[in-house]
Amino acid sequence: KGVVSDSLSGRLLSASFVLSDIATGRVMVQSQSDPVNGSFLLCIPAGKKYALSVEKSGYLFYSAHFEPDSDGSLYDPIVKNVLLKPVREGESIVLRNIFFETDSSRLLPASETELNRLYQLLVHNSGLRIEISGHTDNTGSETYNRNLSEKRAFEVYNYLIKKGIDVSRLSYKGCGAMQPVADNSTPEGKALNRRTEFKVLGIQ
């Protein structure tokens, strides 16, 4: 279960959300959070990897992935509270459901849903300009990580251009391991540091 709210004001929001099976791409649940209190509650099978996406007009979409175990219950559920960021200059989000082959810039098919969601955001906000950035953990040399992260950012950039987004609205860069968001000494931290982000550069 969770609650959707505005990341700045804390205002509770009614938003659309989609829960998909990462392995198959199959949509498991598609619904809205409660219009009064912003809450949602879902019953889903354990033992699968899920992609969660939440979106609302005027906001950047939220994405996450997780693998619930069998410990959740109606009275003690897994909690996924969602903070939606308004579309405004300087805001950024992590694209948690974009996946690459190991040590490669080749996009995996499971990334298609998230890539299309980013494309739709740009279509519906025609004045939006963004920068796509790739990030790695600290395994490998600085040069290797920077090159890999740049190639991965380019693949997302190139996908959007091929879909018809004007090149003037997009830029990309590789940051390697220089901007960690978690401790690289643990597997969980490394996984969080391997990520793709986008940042709003401007809105016309």
Side-chain angles (χ1 to χ4, degrees):
K1 74 172 185 179
V3 173
V4 183
S5 57
D6 185 301
S7 66
L8 299 179
S9 68
R11 183 168 62 92
L12 301 175
L13 301 173
S14 175
S16 303
F17 64 88
V18 177
L19 191 74
S20 305
D21 183 327
I22 289 177
T24 65
R26 178 187 169 201
V27 173
M28 305 296 289
V29 180
Q30 186 167 4
S31 188
Q32 294 272 134
S33 59
D34 187 274
V36 177
N37 60 25
S39 66
F40 58 90
L41 177 65
L42 312 172
C43 293
I44 55 177
K48 294 177 179 287
K49 292 183 179 179
Y50 293 100
L52 173 66
S53 180
V54 184
E55 53 191 330
K56 181 177 178 64
S57 179
Y59 291 84
L60 302 177
F61 63 85
Y62 168 94
S63 70
H65 60 264
F66 60 99
E67 185 175 2
D69 56 30
S70 58
D71 292 338
S73 70
L74 180 63
Y75 302 103
D76 186 24
I78 297 166
V79 176
K80 290 285 179 185
N81 290 327
V82 175
L83 298 175
L84 289 184
K85 296 181 178 181
V87 177
R88 64 174 192 161
E89 188 173 335
E91 290 287 7
S92 62
I93 66 166
V94 179
L95 299 164
R96 292 287 181 203
N97 297 318
I98 290 183
F99 308 101
F100 297 91
E101 290 184 1
T102 303
D103 290 329
S104 169
S105 60
R106 185 185 297 273
L107 285 160
L108 293 174
S111 305
E112 181 69 26
T113 299
E114 185 100 317
L115 289 166
N116 189 58
R117 192 158 279 117
L118 177 55
Y119 166 72
Q120 292 295 333
L121 177 72
L122 291 164
V123 168
H124 295 143
N125 296 270
S126 59
L128 201 61
R129 292 187 299 107
I130 67 169
E131 176 187 75
I132 301 154
S133 60
H135 303 263
T136 68
D137 61 33
N138 65 349
T139 305
S141 70
E142 181 180 342
T143 300
Y144 175 83
N145 286 331
R146 188 173 293 277
N147 288 340
L148 177 61
S149 62
E150 183 173 353
K151 288 177 182 177
R152 287 180 168 180
F154 172 78
E155 287 302 314
V156 176
Y157 166 90
N158 197 42
Y159 173 93
L160 295 170
I161 288 176
K162 287 182 176 180
K163 291 276 283 187
I165 301 300
D166 194 286
V167 67
S168 67
R169 300 177 60 195
L170 303 171
S171 63
Y172 69 94
K173 68 177 182 180
C175 300
M178 302 304 292
Q179 298 178 18
V181 294
D183 189 343
N184 271 308
S185 65
T186 68
E188 295 80 11
K190 285 179 180 289
L192 289 172
N193 288 331
R194 296 190 299 268
R195 67 197 192 277
T196 305
E197 296 184 356
F198 80 83
K199 180 180 181 179
V200 177
L201 297 180
I203 307 171
Q204 295 179 350

